[in-house]
Amino acid sequence: MTQSKTIKENRYSIILTVTIILLVAVLLLSFLFGAKTTSIQMVYDAIFNYNPQIEEHNILREIRIPREIGAVIVGMALAVSGAVMQGVTRNGLADPGLLGLNAGASMMLALTLAVIPSAGYFTLMLAGFVGAGIGGVLVMSVGSSKRGGFSPMRLVLAGAAVSALLTAASEGIALIFKLNQTLTFWSVGGVSGTTWKQLMISTPIVVVILIVLIMMSRQLTILSLGDTLSKGLGQNSTVVRYTSLIATILLAGIAVSIVGQIAFVGLMVPHIVRFMIGTDYKRVIPLSAVLGGFILLFADMIARMLGEAPIGAVISIIGVPFFLYLVRRDGKIL
């Protein structure tokens, strides 16, 4: 038993280390390549010897570096929120984009901009959190309204219906208040407008939530095995469930406030992680965070190479077939 546990720990350590190395490598490449290719020395100078008179320094410091760091932070937020949602709901199809969280956040962002055109990022982030909460509550309420609670397919159908309703509300608000161009950014998803101010507010919050969820990893692992086992071990399932759901809503709200609606990252990454290292959330959460950051960063690189294609579209090319595969498996968690 001890030998088996050691093998699993070694496997996890190796996979996590390799994923971190890949993330760092792609992050460096994303700094080097873009509309204008630069050098490692220029990147170093832009970070540590910044000169506002040098054009390359300004491009790196004010546009490229915050953009790519933003992609990593958002990827981490989406992947971990998806992993936690899938475990808490025992639904392998759970994802912030599929269960109404992203659409709800986008709707509240549109409403906030309509009422307060000069709203700052912190206000928009709060609006995203509230909207994600509204979307999540509506989907859970509709999906569990039938006797027997929610099934994976029922929850996805409820998510599709609620997302369509909230998206229509967003478009209606945009039409009335002439926010079409602004709302398009949140509809297609993108990290091109990420600023240092956004990162200074969102990054500490995301890090704190990740630490809290890692500290709750044992409770999340038990809860993912079912309420009966959880209660049998003396765990307060309700407190754990609602605490973790609030954390995922916060992560989704922050992600949407930075990049808009991006689906499938929170769906794909947790399944890939569980396939590689099992279902223990002590391992699932850290690896999901790193792999999620890597995937969104890599997708943004591809989007830039395609002439600033919508990053949401790039992710969907992989995500849609993966989603259909999971539907055929009835959304079962590995």
Side-chain angles (χ1 to χ4, degrees):
M1 188 71 176
T2 304
Q3 184 179 3
S4 176
K5 186 176 180 180
T6 302
I7 292 174
K8 287 183 179 179
E9 287 291 344
N10 291 339
R11 177 184 174 87
Y12 166 68
S13 299
I14 292 171
I15 293 174
L16 181 63
T17 301
V18 171
T19 309
I20 291 173
I21 292 172
L22 287 173
L23 173 62
V24 174
V26 174
L27 183 63
L28 179 58
L29 287 174
S30 69
F31 292 160
L32 297 176
F33 299 103
K36 189 171 184 178
T37 303
T38 187
S39 64
I40 294 178
Q41 182 63 47
M42 187 65 72
V43 173
Y44 178 87
D45 289 339
I47 296 173
F48 298 104
N49 302 310
Y50 176 62
N51 185 345
Q53 303 300 320
I54 301 176
E55 181 184 1
E56 288 85 348
H57 284 198
N58 290 323
I59 293 173
L60 286 164
R61 190 75 172 261
E62 302 302 326
I63 299 175
R64 198 172 292 179
I65 293 176
R67 170 180 181 155
E68 306 311 335
I69 293 176
V72 173
I73 295 299
V74 170
M76 288 181 169
L78 291 174
V80 172
S81 63
V84 174
M85 288 177 69
Q86 289 173 13
V88 169
T89 63
R90 289 191 53 75
N91 178 3
L93 299 176
D95 170 81
L98 297 176
L99 297 189
L101 270 65
N102 288 359
S106 184
M107 186 270 292
M108 281 302 298
L109 287 170
L111 183 60
T112 302
L113 287 172
V115 177
I116 314 173
S118 59
Y121 176 68
F122 186 74
T123 303
L124 293 177
M125 189 175 68
L126 289 177
F129 167 64
V130 173
I134 292 172
V137 169
L138 286 174
V139 170
M140 292 295 180
S141 299
V142 174
S144 60
S145 58
K146 191 175 179 180
R147 182 178 297 178
F150 48 72
S151 67
M153 287 307 301
R154 192 181 303 147
L155 208 57
V156 168
L157 290 173
V162 171
S163 294
L165 174 64
L166 295 175
T167 299
S170 300
E171 293 175 352
I173 293 170
L175 184 63
I176 294 171
F177 292 92
K178 296 180 174 57
L179 298 172
N180 290 324
Q181 186 173 356
T182 304
L183 189 63
T184 299
F185 168 78
W186 278 296
S187 298
V188 300
V191 293
S192 58
T194 307
T195 65
W196 285 114
K197 184 177 181 180
Q198 290 177 324
L199 294 177
M200 289 174 64
I201 296 174
S202 60
T203 303
I205 298 174
V206 171
V207 171
V208 168
I209 293 174
L210 293 183
I211 292 172
V212 170
L213 289 173
I214 290 173
M215 292 173 64
M216 293 175 58
S217 58
R218 182 176 178 275
Q219 291 93 325
L220 290 170
T221 301
I222 294 172
L223 186 61
S224 69
L225 298 175
D227 285 342
T228 303
L229 178 60
S230 178
K231 292 177 181 177
L233 294 174
Q235 180 169 285
N236 191 328
S237 301
T238 303
V239 172
V240 175
R241 176 173 282 108
Y242 281 104
T243 301
S244 55
L245 285 176
I246 289 172
T248 60
I249 289 171
L250 269 170
L251 290 175
I254 290 170
V256 173
S257 68
I258 296 177
V259 302
Q261 295 192 56
I262 295 180
F264 300 116
V265 175
L267 176 72
M268 295 186 295
V269 173
H271 282 279
I272 296 170
V273 168
R274 283 192 292 265
F275 175 77
M276 292 192 294
I277 50 94
T279 58
D280 187 347
Y281 272 78
K282 184 179 180 180
R283 304 187 188 105
V284 168
I285 292 176
L287 186 55
S288 292
V290 178
L291 185 59
F294 167 77
I295 286 178
L296 200 64
L297 181 63
F298 186 75
D300 182 57
M301 278 189 63
I302 299 298
R304 281 194 292 143
M305 290 172 63
L306 295 174
E308 293 296 343
I311 189 173
V314 175
I315 292 290
S316 297
I317 291 173
I318 306 171
V320 170
F322 195 90
F323 172 73
L324 295 175
Y325 164 72
L326 291 178
V327 169
R328 287 177 62 85
R329 293 178 58 240
D330 196 28
K332 293 178 181 177
I333 296 178
L334 292 173

